[in-house]
Every structure is written in structure tokens, then in C-alpha cells.
Amino acid sequence: VQLQASGGGLVQAGGSLRLSCAVTGRTITSYNMGWFRQAPGKEREFVAAVSWSGDNTYYADSVKGRFTIPRSDAENTQYLQMNSLKSEDTAVYLCAAGEPMNMNWNPQRGDSYDHWGQGTQVTVSS
């Protein structure tokens, strides 16, 4: 399976961006999906996740109410819709896929995911 992230760019504070994570090689409904981000000089942090069934979503406190994690089964693509962006959202954003049979899946932990895409840069200017 391969994950291809895209959609990053430069946006003003208060603006919106939608990131995409295209999954190839297997249907997206086979995976728990997550988004993480890493800012310069900081550790990678959890942003949002959705279970393979789509029934459960998870968000970091810092993005709750601003970000959502919709999915297109037809396009086999996971999205991260980011609204009301702040300068502190500036980071490289990475998507990840975790095997659904992992009974110990913790959506907030990077080691719960088996496959990673390359990052896409998001820069929010204040």
C-alpha cells in the first residue's frame, strides 16, 4: 500500500486548507487512518484519526472544532479539512494507515500505524 499526501501550501491565519491522502494498493476502508504533524524543532504530534469503519473520529484538543477528517470511499482518499487556521498550525503534515486487526490501536500514537505517506507542508502566516 502507498499513501500520497497533498494539498499543503501557504495560507493566511483564519483561512482554510484541505489536505488529501490518496491510498493505493488497497481499499481505504481496510485501514484506521490518521494525520500527524511535525513543526521545526518539535516532535511529531497527533492531529486527527478515524477508525476503519468510519464510526469513530479522534481529534487533538488543539484542533477540535476547527479540523475534520472526512473520507471518500469512492476516491479511496482520506482528507483533513482545516478551518480557522492559526500560525501554530504551521508544520509538515503526514498521513498514516493502521491495520484494522490491531486490537491495540491507539489513534494518538504513531507506532500504532503501519504505513506512512510523505509529508505536505502547511504554512500559516499571521
Side-chain angles (χ1 to χ4, degrees):
V1 63
Q2 290 187 326
L3 309 179
Q4 180 73 40
S6 61
L10 175 63
V11 63
Q12 288 188 334
S16 298
L17 275 178
R18 188 179 76 164
L19 305 184
S20 301
C21 179
V23 178
T24 57
R26 204 161 131 189
T27 178
I28 195 171
T29 56
S30 299
Y31 294 107
N32 300 314
M33 297 294 296
W35 286 95
F36 290 75
R37 66 188 182 188
Q38 187 164 19
K42 294 187 177 181
E43 292 189 353
R44 184 178 64 194
E45 65 173 355
F46 167 75
V47 177
V50 57
S51 61
W52 66 270
S53 64
D55 291 340
N56 300 297
T57 56
Y58 310 85
Y59 297 95
D61 288 343
S62 59
V63 306
K64 275 181 185 175
R66 300 188 298 123
F67 290 12
T68 58
I69 187 166
R71 184 178 80 188
S72 169
D73 293 351
E75 297 178 348
N76 222 41
T77 298
Q78 183 67 59
Y79 298 101
L80 182 67
Q81 178 66 45
M82 306 185 295
N83 300 325
S84 301
L85 283 161
K86 305 175 181 179
S87 57
E88 51 263 44
D89 295 319
T90 294
V92 173
Y93 284 71
L94 306 104
C95 61
E99 296 290 341
M101 299 306 293
N102 180 1
M103 303 305 292
N104 295 317
W105 179 60
N106 181 331
Q108 299 187 37
R109 289 181 60 94
D111 58 9
S112 284
Y113 296 84
D114 304 285
H115 311 283
W116 291 81
Q118 90 298 351
T120 185
Q121 176 70 46
V122 172
T123 303
V124 183
S125 62
S126 56

